[in-house]
Amino acid sequence: QVTLKESGPGILQPSQTLSLTCSFSGFSLSTSGICVSWIRQPSGKGLEWLATICWEDSKGYNPSLKNRLTISKDTSNNQAFLKITSVDTADTAIYYCAREGSRTFAYWGQGTLVTVSS
Amino acid sequence: DVVMTQTPVSLSVSLGGQVSISCRSSQSLVHNNGNTYLSWYLQKPGQSPQLLIYKVSNRFSGISDRFSGSGSGTDFTLKISRVEPDDLGVYYCGQGTQYPYTFGAGTKLELK
């Protein structure tokens, strides 16, 4: 059974760095073809893909966030991470991690709400 | 970036009815490997999105055959037949053909 669970700080202040963790089970990020992605959704709005990391350590980033994103993984502990630097109120959203296979998001976590506020 | 345009924005349906949702991409979604990476997701109220259809027309594990996907190139359709109460929510199309992956703005399915 594939499960994913996101964790984060809940609330942080503008200009800080957001650190998110995706803990998963039921698959390994060392398996060929498997990737984990981060997607976010501001309240009442649509979905925005942020970044992907794959089994062989290839990475993809959404250029709309320029150089603010860093994705990484800990294969031994079944975790993936996302850092977003210099956050502002526009980064307030629910952040999801998802297992990606065949370029589709087959399994999603429950999401973690991140609020950026002074 | 590939822009995904969904229509309509919202849809009212009677239980047992049939609906279609359109999704158009600003560029062809045919990948160099010949596959077309167009997926459909449903987000029920208060829940995470769930995968319904991948690669245009393939139903994900456990998805009812009342859901069907079709299309090619830049023009895609999701059809839902015999609508049930559990089908209500927001439907998104998404493309995985090229980075950055992008999604449509969503179509809200409501009861008439």
Side-chain angles (χ1 to χ4, degrees):
Chain A
Q1 180 189 3
V2 173
T3 64
L4 303 98
K5 186 172 184 179
E6 308 86 348
S7 58
I11 186 165
L12 68 168
Q13 295 185 337
S15 81
Q16 290 186 318
T17 294
L18 169 59
S19 295
L20 297 166
T21 299
C22 174
S23 301
F24 54 84
S25 63
F27 67 95
S28 172
L29 246 181
S30 60
T31 299
S32 178
I34 297 298
C35 308
V36 168
S37 297
W38 287 94
I39 299 143
R40 71 180 179 182
Q41 184 174 37
S43 179
K45 297 191 177 180
L47 303 167
E48 179 182 31
W49 171 78
L50 300 176
T52 293
I53 189 164
C54 296
W55 81 102
E56 83 291 40
D57 210 37
S58 66
K59 298 163 190 169
Y61 293 105
N62 193 324
S64 71
L65 279 84
K66 299 179 182 176
N67 298 320
R68 298 173 53 212
L69 300 176
T70 304
I71 194 169
S72 59
K73 62 182 171 75
D74 179 347
T75 303
S76 301
N77 289 307
N78 286 340
Q79 292 182 315
F81 311 97
L82 183 71
K83 288 189 189 297
I84 305 179
T85 59
S86 304
V87 298
D88 68 13
T89 55
D91 295 308
T92 293
I94 295 174
Y95 286 76
Y96 297 102
C97 63
R99 192 190 93 166
E100 182 195 323
S102 197
R103 295 171 173 262
T104 195
F105 306 115
Y107 301 93
W108 297 65
Q110 64 190 24
T112 186
L113 176 62
V114 174
T115 302
V116 180
S117 173
S118 55
Chain B
D1 298 5
V2 179
V3 177
M4 306 296 288
T5 303
Q6 276 183 247
T7 54
V9 171
S10 64
L11 211 43
S12 292
V13 63
S14 301
L15 293 178
Q18 177 173 300
V19 295
S20 292
I21 300 170
S22 172
C23 177
R24 288 185 172 170
S25 57
S26 61
Q27 304 172 32
S28 173
L29 297 186
V30 180
H31 191 272
N32 290 340
N33 64 15
N35 289 315
T36 301
Y37 296 105
L38 185 283
S39 301
W40 290 96
Y41 304 89
L42 165 60
Q43 188 172 32
K44 299 177 185 178
Q47 295 187 20
S48 307
Q50 62 179 97
L51 176 64
L52 300 173
I53 302 283
Y54 64 96
K55 286 198 286 185
V56 181
S57 60
N58 296 276
R59 274 186 298 276
F60 186 53
S61 175
I63 299 302
S64 169
D65 60 4
R66 297 183 298 103
F67 293 89
S68 63
S70 62
S72 62
T74 62
D75 208 341
F76 305 92
T77 301
L78 175 70
K79 288 186 181 176
I80 313 167
S81 61
R82 305 185 305 281
V83 170
E84 299 179 356
D86 199 42
D87 300 338
L88 304 182
V90 180
Y91 289 80
Y92 295 96
C93 61
Q95 67 84 17
T97 296
Q98 61 176 268
Y99 283 155
Y101 295 159
T102 49
F103 297 90
T107 296
K108 188 172 185 179
L109 184 63
E110 300 172 303
L111 270 183
K112 193 175 289 184

